[in-house]
Amino acid sequence: MKRALITGITGQDGSYLAEFLLDKGYEVHGGVRRSSVEKFERIAHIRDKIELHQMDLLDQLSIITVLEDVAPREVYNLAAQSFVPTSWNQPLLTGEFTALGVLRMLEGIRTVNPDIRFYQASSSEMFGKVRETPQNEETPFYPRSPYGVAKVYGHFITVNYRESYDLFATSGILFNHESPRRGLEFVTRKVTDGVARIKLGLARTLSLGNLDAGRDWGFAGDYVDAMWRMLQQDEPTDYVIGTGIMHSVRDLVELAFGYAGLEWEAHVMEDPALRRPADVEHLLADASKAKRDLGWEPQVSFEDLVRMMVEADLEALGR
């Protein structure tokens, strides 16, 4: 039986990846930070099928200990401080988790077992002030937030360890991917939760930042399939993962309110305070390499994704 270790298993991507690997017959382990209050909602339905281990990306010894105890064939590093606005308020913490945390994982693998296959969750935020559209694996990075800068470090330290120590280390440069399990602080979930609250009479307005920002949005459940495929290749390399279709935040808002039978203009307010200090205007993926090498293509459309999220929030709040 193949054995995998997932950091960030309690997050959106980690929960979908754990489900995916269980369906593939894997023995699934997760690294979780110790907390006085456990937040395992996203993995509650599979909690009896996985094994969790206390582990912290700030603590090298805990990483080494878990790697030795679990002895995984594959490691998926999905843990990070992943909310872009928070990275301006907590830039040092973001750097420790999102940048140096990757280095600690790679050092742990190099120390314990260099044959472990390693996946690093890179991000389209690395492209930032984009140099070309669409963006592919060769597009230069120009990050526009402490989060984006930290992800660039994590990306290149993965490349460096692959080339320096012959590790099977690969990065997936994933564009925005969403689901009903997305955190409420992210704009997609903020919108669909806001729509549900307004529809059910629990709120009247929704405040948002830049409605003109464009993103390439896909379904998180599709993207974990790409992560797995990357670690099944003969040679490690990096891949851009996205749909190749861009929508604005305004498009998202119109769709979400429309599914609930609401006029968005009557409820949405633009708040300049919610804009980023340095915004990323347009992100659009060229995932042709992933399609060619991995045989990967997204299955869920943007329209179906938004509908899925609105319906899930209406059901959850309705209860």
Side-chain angles (χ1 to χ4, degrees):
M1 178 180 290
K2 290 184 179 180
R3 187 179 300 125
L5 172 66
I6 304 170
T7 71
I9 195 170
T10 61
Q12 170 190 255
D13 292 8
S15 65
Y16 280 111
L17 179 60
E19 289 176 345
F20 180 89
L21 295 178
L22 286 171
D23 288 342
K24 292 283 186 184
Y26 276 67
E27 179 183 313
V28 177
H29 297 254
V32 296
R33 299 181 68 204
R34 187 198 172 280
S35 174
S36 57
V37 179
E38 293 184 342
K39 296 183 178 180
F40 297 159
E41 297 92 344
R42 294 185 181 96
I43 56 172
H45 61 295
I46 55 171
R47 182 64 186 84
D48 61 337
K49 300 177 182 178
I50 60 179
E51 187 171 344
L52 301 181
H53 307 263
Q54 286 191 6
M55 174 180 164
D56 197 314
L57 292 188
L58 302 186
D59 180 24
Q60 185 75 67
L61 182 58
S62 73
I63 293 171
I64 290 174
T65 300
V66 171
L67 287 172
E68 289 176 339
D69 291 347
V70 173
R73 178 183 184 272
E74 299 171 3
V75 170
Y76 297 84
N77 185 42
L78 310 185
Q81 190 301 100
S82 59
F83 188 45
V84 175
T86 295
S87 73
W88 275 286
N89 297 327
Q90 296 182 299
L92 296 178
L93 183 68
T94 299
E96 286 287 351
F97 275 115
T98 308
L100 293 179
V102 184
L103 176 57
R104 295 186 187 101
M105 289 297 301
L106 288 164
E107 269 295 287
I109 288 171
R110 188 173 74 89
T111 301
V112 174
N113 179 7
D115 291 330
I116 292 172
R117 296 190 167 208
F118 177 76
Y119 171 85
Q120 165 59 16
S122 289
S123 169
S124 60
E125 287 287 333
M126 300 189 304
F127 294 120
K129 189 175 182 180
V130 298
R131 306 287 84 190
E132 62 184 8
T133 299
Q135 296 89 49
N136 61 34
E137 293 80 6
E138 304 303 320
T139 302
F141 299 137
Y142 194 144
R144 297 269 282 172
S145 68
Y147 169 78
V149 172
K151 278 293 186 182
V152 169
Y153 178 93
H155 179 85
F156 276 125
I157 200 65
T158 300
V159 172
N160 185 262
Y161 268 59
R162 177 171 72 219
E163 296 177 351
S164 300
Y165 300 114
D166 198 29
L167 298 183
F168 194 107
T170 181
S171 288
I173 307 173
L174 271 57
F175 281 62
N176 296 67
H177 45 288
E178 320 297 324
S179 76
R181 301 179 192 174
R182 192 56 142 154
L184 287 168
E185 68 271 25
F186 292 87
V187 68
T188 47
R189 186 73 193 291
K190 182 178 181 181
V191 168
T192 61
D193 176 77
V195 165
R197 290 181 182 277
I198 292 169
K199 180 68 174 180
L200 297 173
L202 302 174
R204 297 183 63 184
T205 61
L206 174 63
S207 295
L208 297 171
N210 183 7
L211 295 183
D212 295 319
R215 294 292 184 272
D216 183 331
W217 277 300
F219 173 51
D222 288 341
Y223 287 42
V224 299
D225 178 15
M227 298 177 190
W228 174 78
R229 291 177 187 234
M230 290 180 211
L231 293 195
Q232 313 315 308
Q233 300 305 297
D234 293 333
E235 298 293 335
T237 186
D238 307 319
Y239 292 94
V240 161
I241 302 297
T243 70
I245 302 173
M246 184 168 59
H247 296 275
S248 67
V249 175
R250 183 175 281 100
D251 295 335
L252 165 68
V253 168
E254 289 178 353
L255 268 179
F257 276 86
Y259 287 145
L262 299 170
E263 294 291 335
W264 72 271
E265 294 94 335
H267 302 284
V268 174
M269 298 187 301
E270 285 194 77
D271 183 354
L274 296 178
R275 286 177 173 260
R276 300 179 182 183
D279 213 343
V280 174
E281 294 295 336
H282 300 108
L283 294 174
L284 178 63
D286 172 6
S288 55
K289 179 181 175 183
K291 181 178 180 180
R292 181 183 69 247
D293 293 359
L294 306 178
W296 179 86
E297 290 187 80
Q299 303 300 308
V300 177
S301 69
F302 175 71
E303 293 76 13
D304 288 341
L305 171 63
V306 176
R307 184 190 298 274
M308 176 199 308
M309 294 177 67
V310 170
E311 290 175 349
D313 279 327
L314 282 169
E315 181 182 353
L317 289 170
R319 290 197 299 266

